[in-house]
Amino acid sequence: MRCSATMRPVRSFLATCLAISLALAACGDDEKPPFDVRSSVEQLHVTHAPPATELAVFDHTGAQVAVGTTDELGSLIFRKLPPGEGYVIKTTTATPALATRALDVLSLESSAKPQSFYSGQKLTKGYQYITTRDGTTLSAYITFPAGPPPYPTVISYSGYEPSKPGAPVDDGTLAGLCDGLPVICDAPNDPSALISGLFQYATVNVNIRGTGCSGGAFDFFETMQLLDGYDVVETVAAQDWVMNGKVGMVGLSYPGITQLFVASTQPPHLAAIAPLSVIGAANTTMLPGGILNDGFATAWITNVISKAKPYGQGWEQGQVDKGDTVCAENQLLHGQYIDNVEQARQVRYYVPAEHDRYNIATFAYKITVPVFLSAAWQDEQTGPFFFTMLDKFVNSPAVRMNTYNGVHIDAYQPQVLEEWYTFLELFVAQRVPVDRPVSRGIAPQLYDQVFGV
């Protein structure tokens, strides 16, 4: 009996266990491993294993270094593994025992990819996937402005629904403008990207790993999420339709915060960032004064986690129903998310070695591109602690800041957007800003959507 791809486990628990047992009996040492494992940075990702089965990781000496139980989809992530070669994953109770071949756990340095990895990926308008350094695919939705390329280009990157396929911006009353402003009939699912599109920018809207149709599992600003952002920037910037060979990042709140983390990894083809309504640090938002913010902060992360579960955002099922097998496969690891609320409840003290990585003020000096930051002192969601990093962008060649009395959404007020647009024109498009009458003319409809007035 020959082991083949057709013998991969199916979703049913009984069928999965039976298929695995038969596969093991049929496979020799030189055949396909009994379940799939992806090597990542200090992680190993298991899929297509028997559900509810204990697995253990052994290093090259044969010592057991980690143990865990697969979820109902037969998936498990082993985190915080020392980089190295010769790891093996084995079942601890199954009869007969299952084991993988030798596996490598990547280090940050060994995970780096050559420029050809990025330039070799071809992206175009519409829905697609971007492959990151560990093989995880991130769902992306791209819009183009009117006219021939190249286009100034911005990225929105978050755990909301930025890569959800676009839709018309209104009930059809503006459809006559779609030839000149295609984004009206094909609006990205992110407000900052929509506004950028109205100003004739190409937009790339990406779900972070573990959300939407992206692969992997969610964990609040883990290392892989930052490295993914680096890979997204470099892949997009390598496209021949991108003006100047560099891209900017835009977004308010969650997609605003991600920019600061991604920029700290210093992607060489990042032109500038424009974070709006952001936190200063995770601890000042989640644990201000050492007291758990059991209001907005826990409610927000609980909502993000609930939507990071398999098919949690809802639109993923529609993609799968249309034949998107990548989205279906990517759901398998979503149940391996980290419960960041429970994680926060366990924190008693601020430990710099552990918590500085969530504190933007401690790494803002690593950001070496122009920064446009806007935030309100009375922000009811992210709070006023952005002030802790206002003087920390010491290596950014240009910094423009807007602070004001107001609330979370006020970063989209006209006074801020006028400066925001000017910033993008200067540092992303690299051209002299000019007034765009059409964009200004549809501002009433835009503000009716954003502010309700």
Side-chain angles (χ1 to χ4, degrees):
M1 184 175 179
R2 183 175 180 274
C3 178
S4 70
T6 61
M7 297 191 62
R8 281 191 175 185
V10 294
R11 300 288 179 85
S12 161
F13 289 2
L14 293 177
T16 299
C17 294
L18 177 61
I20 285 293
S21 297
L22 291 173
L24 178 70
C27 294
D29 291 340
D30 60 342
E31 297 288 352
K32 181 177 174 59
F35 39 80
D36 291 347
V37 183
R38 174 182 292 142
S39 296
S40 189
V41 177
E42 300 180 2
Q43 298 179 357
L44 290 172
H45 301 170
V46 177
T47 56
H48 299 282
T53 299
E54 186 175 84
L55 302 178
V57 180
F58 298 85
D59 65 16
H60 70 283
T61 69
Q64 181 176 306
V65 295
V67 65
T69 301
T70 58
D71 61 23
E72 62 182 12
L73 297 180
S75 300
L76 178 63
I77 291 183
F78 292 102
R79 294 176 167 90
K80 298 182 178 180
L81 297 173
E85 302 176 348
Y87 284 95
V88 175
I89 300 177
K90 301 178 181 180
T91 57
T92 60
T93 58
T95 303
L98 307 175
T100 65
R101 297 194 183 104
L103 304 163
D104 295 342
V105 173
L106 304 177
S107 66
L108 184 63
E109 293 74 22
S110 67
S111 74
K113 292 292 186 181
Q115 185 60 30
S116 59
F117 174 78
Y118 304 113
S119 59
Q121 299 187 54
K122 299 304 178 186
L123 308 177
T124 188
K125 183 174 67 173
Y127 185 86
Q128 60 226 277
Y129 290 89
I130 296 172
T131 302
T132 64
R133 65 187 65 196
D134 70 349
T136 298
T137 53
L138 305 182
S139 54
Y141 193 76
I142 297 176
T143 69
F144 286 170
Y151 312 116
T153 303
V154 292
I155 295 169
S156 171
Y157 179 62
S158 80
Y160 290 152
E161 303 176 359
S163 68
K164 181 179 178 180
V169 74
D170 69 343
D171 59 5
T173 57
L174 297 176
L177 298 174
C178 289
D179 288 342
L181 290 172
V183 73
I184 291 176
C185 290
D186 184 27
N189 202 40
D190 175 81
S192 293
L194 168 60
I195 298 168
S196 301
L198 292 173
F199 285 119
Q200 303 286 20
Y201 279 67
T203 74
V204 181
N205 310 281
V206 182
N207 266 85
I208 64 173
R209 67 171 53 209
T211 68
C213 279
S214 292
F218 176 81
D219 184 11
F220 184 78
F221 290 112
E222 64 160 333
T223 298
M224 287 312 305
Q225 193 178 122
L226 277 62
L227 297 179
D228 288 348
Y230 178 107
D231 293 346
V232 167
V233 167
E234 291 304 293
T235 301
V236 175
Q239 305 307 306
D240 56 12
W241 44 264
V242 173
M243 183 179 289
N244 306 314
K246 289 191 173 185
V247 297
M249 296 188 77
V250 296
L252 180 145
S253 194
Y254 199 173
I257 300 165
T258 59
Q259 299 175 53
L260 296 159
F261 283 85
V262 171
S264 72
T265 68
Q266 300 181 354
H269 295 93
L270 179 64
I273 60 173
L276 311 177
S277 300
V278 296
I279 62 172
N283 63 293
T284 54
T285 303
M286 182 67 82
L287 294 158
I291 301 172
L292 183 68
N293 179 359
D294 222 344
F296 172 79
T298 54
W300 178 82
I301 195 64
T302 298
N303 179 61
V304 171
I305 289 172
S306 69
K307 293 185 176 181
K309 296 177 181 178
Y311 299 95
Q313 294 187 351
W315 63 274
E316 305 98 329
Q317 188 63 59
Q319 286 297 115
V320 173
D321 291 345
K322 290 187 292 186
D324 188 344
T325 57
V326 177
C327 182
E329 179 74 13
N330 282 349
Q331 301 306 307
L332 295 182
L333 277 174
H334 281 208
Q336 291 296 302
Y337 65 88
I338 295 295
D339 186 341
N340 299 123
V341 174
E342 182 58 31
Q343 191 179 52
R345 293 185 189 279
Q346 302 305 316
V347 175
R348 295 189 62 195
Y349 304 105
Y350 186 99
V351 180
E354 174 63 21
H355 301 124
D356 275 359
R357 64 194 179 104
Y358 303 120
N359 184 346
I360 300 166
T362 66
F363 59 77
Y365 72 92
K366 296 181 180 179
I367 298 175
T368 57
V369 297
V371 177
F372 180 93
L373 186 146
S374 294
W377 298 111
Q378 295 83 12
D379 193 311
E380 77 285 3
Q381 297 184 31
T382 52
F385 292 99
F386 60 85
F387 80 85
T388 60
M389 60 180 171
L390 294 185
D391 62 343
K392 299 299 191 295
F393 298 104
V394 293
N395 291 311
S396 297
V399 181
R400 178 72 176 181
M401 297 180 180
N402 292 264
T403 62
Y404 38 82
N405 293 320
V407 294
H408 195 61
I409 199 65
D410 281 346
Y412 285 144
Q413 62 182 287
Q415 295 93 324
V416 173
L417 282 188
E418 184 79 16
E419 297 296 322
W420 175 84
Y421 164 67
T422 298
F423 176 86
L424 293 180
E425 286 289 278
L426 291 173
F427 294 107
V428 178
Q430 298 182 21
R431 60 193 179 194
V432 176
V434 297
D435 193 39
R436 296 186 178 275
V438 174
S439 301
R440 185 178 293 275
I442 64 173
Q445 288 88 345
L446 174 66
Y447 280 100
D448 181 57
Q449 286 203 7
V450 175
F451 291 100
V453 294

